[in-house]
């Protein structure tokens, strides 16, 4: 598949430039997608951020070079992008659990992080129901909070956000809801690094999609005109929903011919009873065609 070839060509470029400054715009160009898409897809497929992968590869190679006693530690540090022995030592110890000096002893255990390649894996072939929608620009009006990224189970900070909404506020927001996805929705945007390691944060909105200008005392997020891939999810909440989210990035994107566009990821829960054995919801993700 061209996609796999392009991804692996980009990985080869990274490998060949581990001792140089890596231009991620060049990496994305080799992969024939945007830098934003490449970094997000890499995180989902690899389980670590792109920057963390590069850091691990550099420190893995640095450990091998430290076995050569003729090389100075500062020279190895500079070669792999560290400007001082202290910063190199801290990073090295974080990965390997020992100092660069200790790594010179051949009886010490070191960690190896081999180069990564992507391969096609054929799985069960479970269907995914989705549609594409073109939408004009709109507003997302509601409340917003910077929250930690949590993949499994409920996010207590988001739960607190829902609890802070009185019926009066919800009714105010519902009167503004005039476009799809209708009703109360959640939206996540402005993800920080470390998403796949659950170390980062994101801006979480709870509110409604609307063309109304007045936010009536609420926060407002401007959403530009975009194409949206809308995925259906039905099953126990939140387990099935989280599985669907993972499959979108791990299965649908690599074979779809689309890449992620910059914009919020929206969740529209269609059922009010989250204890139901089959909660129906929709995930809206902004996309654009890969050129």
């Amino acid at each position: 598949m061209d996609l796999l070839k392009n991804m692996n060509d980009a990985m080869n470029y990274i490998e060949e430039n581990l001792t140089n400054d890596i231009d991620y715009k060049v990496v994305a160009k080799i992969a024939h997608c945007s830098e934003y898409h490449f970094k997000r897809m890499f995180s989902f497929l690899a389980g670590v951020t792109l920057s963390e992968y590069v850091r691990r590869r550099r420190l893995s190679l640095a450990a091998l070079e430290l076995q050569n006693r003729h090389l100075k530690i500062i020279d190895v540090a500079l070669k792999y992008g560290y400007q001082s022995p202290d910063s190199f030592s801290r990073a090295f110890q974080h990965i390997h659990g020992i100092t660069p000096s200790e790594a010179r002893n051949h009886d010490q255990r070191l960690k190896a992080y081999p180069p990564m390649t992507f391969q096609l894996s054929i799985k069960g072939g479970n269907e995914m129901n989705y549609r594409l929608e073109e939408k004009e620009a709109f507003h997302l009006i509601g409340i917003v909070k910077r929250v930690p990224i949590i993949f499994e189970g409920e996010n207590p900070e988001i739960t607190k956000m829902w609890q802070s909404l009185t019926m009066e506020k919800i009714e105010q927001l519902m009167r503004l809801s005039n476009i799809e996805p209708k009703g109360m929705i959640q939206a996540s945007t402005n993800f920080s690094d470390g998403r796949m390691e659950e170390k980062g944060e994101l801006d979480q909105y709870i509110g409604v999609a609307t063309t109304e200008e007045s936010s009536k005392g609420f926060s407002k997020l401007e959403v530009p005109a975009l194409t949206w891939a809308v995925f259906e999810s039905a099953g126990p909440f939140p387990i099935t929903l989280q599985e669907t989210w993972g499959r979108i990035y791990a299965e649908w994107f690599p074979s779809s011919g689309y890449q992620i566009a910059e914009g919020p990821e929206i969740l529209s829960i269609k059922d009010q009873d989250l204890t139901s054995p089959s909660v129906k919801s929709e995930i809206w993700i902004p996309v654009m065609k890969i050129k």
Side-chain angles (χ1 to χ4, degrees), residues 5 9 21 49 80 83 104 132 200 224 227 241 245 250 260 267-268 275 281:
K5 180 182 181 302
D9 286 346
D21 289 334
T49 63
Y80 289 100
Q83 299 305 310
R104 289 191 181 280
L132 295 174
T227 300
L241 185 64
W245 226 299
I260 308 159
L267 170 63
S268 173
T275 63
S281 54

Side-chain angles (χ1 to χ4, degrees), residues 38-55:
F38 186 86
K39 286 182 175 179
R40 292 284 294 282
M41 281 301 303
F42 182 91
S43 293
F44 270 91
L45 295 174
V48 295
T49 63
L50 184 56
S51 59
E52 175 64 15
Y53 168 76
V54 169
R55 187 171 74 94

Side-chain angles (χ1 to χ4, degrees), residues 223-241:
V223 183
L226 291 165
T227 300
W228 299 80
V230 185
F231 298 86
E232 298 176 11
S233 179
F237 183 87
I239 297 172
T240 303
L241 185 64

Side-chain angles (χ1 to χ4, degrees), residues 29-78:
K29 187 175 181 180
I30 293 170
H32 295 275
C33 61
S34 69
E35 181 181 353
Y36 180 77
H37 176 81
F38 186 86
K39 286 182 175 179
R40 292 284 294 282
M41 281 301 303
F42 182 91
S43 293
F44 270 91
L45 295 174
V48 295
T49 63
L50 184 56
S51 59
E52 175 64 15
Y53 168 76
V54 169
R55 187 171 74 94
R56 291 181 183 182
R57 282 295 300 139
R58 284 172 168 162
L59 291 170
S60 184
L61 295 178
L64 293 175
E65 297 206 24
L66 287 171
Q67 299 290 308
N68 182 346
R69 294 177 182 274
H70 297 294
L71 294 174
K72 294 180 180 178
I73 291 176
I74 184 59
D75 291 337
V76 176
L78 291 171

Side-chain angles (χ1 to χ4, degrees), residues 33 63 66 83 163 184 191 218 237 272:
C33 61
L66 287 171
Q83 299 305 310
Q163 292 171 345
M184 296 294 294
F191 295 91
F218 293 101
F237 183 87
Q272 296 299 315

Side-chain angles (χ1 to χ4, degrees), residues 4-171:
L4 289 176
K5 180 182 181 302
N6 295 340
M7 290 286 285
N8 286 325
D9 286 346
M11 296 307 295
N12 288 337
Y13 170 85
I14 289 172
E15 190 66 21
E16 292 167 0
N17 287 276
L18 287 173
T19 57
N20 303 316
D21 289 334
I22 296 173
D23 188 337
Y24 291 113
K25 289 184 172 59
V26 174
V27 173
K29 187 175 181 180
I30 293 170
H32 295 275
C33 61
S34 69
E35 181 181 353
Y36 180 77
H37 176 81
F38 186 86
K39 286 182 175 179
R40 292 284 294 282
M41 281 301 303
F42 182 91
S43 293
F44 270 91
L45 295 174
V48 295
T49 63
L50 184 56
S51 59
E52 175 64 15
Y53 168 76
V54 169
R55 187 171 74 94
R56 291 181 183 182
R57 282 295 300 139
R58 284 172 168 162
L59 291 170
S60 184
L61 295 178
L64 293 175
E65 297 206 24
L66 287 171
Q67 299 290 308
N68 182 346
R69 294 177 182 274
H70 297 294
L71 294 174
K72 294 180 180 178
I73 291 176
I74 184 59
D75 291 337
V76 176
L78 291 171
K79 181 176 180 179
Y80 289 100
Y82 293 88
Q83 299 305 310
S84 73
D86 286 345
S87 61
F88 176 64
S89 183
R90 284 194 300 271
F92 192 92
Q93 198 161 7
H94 179 75
I95 291 292
H96 296 286
I98 58 175
T99 66
S101 297
E102 291 170 332
R104 289 191 181 280
N105 298 324
H106 289 275
D107 60 346
Q108 291 286 357
R109 288 186 176 182
L110 296 168
K111 292 183 179 178
Y113 291 93
M116 188 175 292
T117 58
F118 295 99
Q119 298 177 353
L120 178 64
S121 177
I122 306 299
K123 296 189 177 180
N126 296 326
E127 66 181 20
M128 294 185 73
N129 294 322
Y130 77 95
R131 67 184 186 275
L132 295 174
E133 286 204 12
E134 303 282 345
K135 285 186 70 66
E136 295 298 321
F138 65 92
H139 310 303
L140 203 158
I141 292 177
I143 60 174
V144 62
K145 185 178 182 181
R146 191 77 175 160
V147 303
I149 296 171
I150 295 176
F151 282 146
E152 295 185 6
E154 291 187 23
N155 188 319
E157 294 302 318
I158 297 176
T159 300
K160 289 178 184 177
M161 290 178 69
W162 278 106
Q163 292 171 345
S164 72
L165 284 169
T166 63
M167 284 306 301
E168 181 183 359
K169 288 181 178 179
I170 290 175
E171 288 171 0

